[in-house]
């Protein structure tokens, strides 16, 4: 939305969760929260994960997005911007998923309400 810098954490996260190239972050079934695969996020989006990627293997890498190099730093950013972990939720994001997904919510982070990102 107008007035929100594209370089802010919420704007970056919004773009990632809506990108078909990103596999480690998804909307929950109600599009009102995030599902995050920690291991995949570390490899796919955090700076340290890119150092181990070879060229020509698998899908094109997602550009460095976050300055964080560790998952706990990424989670601190989530909390800084008002996200909270949904307690007791660990499971599949979709039928057939093998990984455990962590669930985080923020009332101002909704798929159908980009205008709320300003809050």
């Amino acid at each position: 939305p107008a007035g929100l810098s594209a370089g802010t954490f919420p704007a970056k996260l919004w773009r990632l969760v809506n990108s078909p190239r990103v596999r480690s972050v998804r909307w929950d079934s109600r599009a009102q929260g995030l599902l995050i695969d920690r291991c995949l996020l570390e490899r796919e989006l955090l700076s340290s994960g890119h150092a181990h990627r070879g060229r020509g293997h698998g899908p094109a890498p997602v550009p460095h997005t976050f300055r964080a190099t560790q998952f706990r730093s990424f989670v601190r950013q989530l909390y800084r911007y008002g996200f909270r972990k949904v307690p007791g939720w660990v499971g599949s994001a979709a039928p057939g998923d093998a990984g455990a997904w962590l669930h985080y919510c923020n009332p101002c982070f909704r798929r159908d309400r980009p205008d709320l990102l300003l809050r």
Side-chain angles (χ1 to χ4, degrees), residues 14 27 30-33 106-114 116:
W14 176 268
W27 289 107
R30 298 181 315 158
Q32 296 181 354
N106 178 325
C108 295
F109 200 86
R110 309 274 192 221
R111 182 171 54 200
D112 59 345
R113 294 289 310 274
L116 293 176

Side-chain angles (χ1 to χ4, degrees), residues 9-10 12 17 21 32 36 46 49 51 69 75 77 95 99-100 102 105:
F9 182 84
K12 289 178 184 180
V17 75
R21 292 176 54 200
Q32 296 181 354
I36 300 171
L46 301 184
T69 58
V75 170
Q77 285 285 88
L102 304 171
C105 286

Side-chain angles (χ1 to χ4, degrees), residues 22-42:
V22 176
R23 298 181 350 234
S24 58
V25 182
R26 302 179 183 182
W27 289 107
D28 66 13
S29 61
R30 298 181 315 158
Q32 296 181 354
L34 297 176
L35 296 175
I36 300 171
D37 180 322
R38 176 184 176 157
C39 293
L40 187 54
L41 182 106
E42 288 173 335

Side-chain angles (χ1 to χ4, degrees), residues 61-79:
V62 177
H64 290 296
T65 305
F66 299 111
R67 287 182 296 215
T69 58
Q70 296 182 353
F71 185 73
R72 68 177 180 249
S73 299
F74 175 79
V75 170
R76 274 197 300 271
Q77 285 285 88
L78 286 174
Y79 284 118

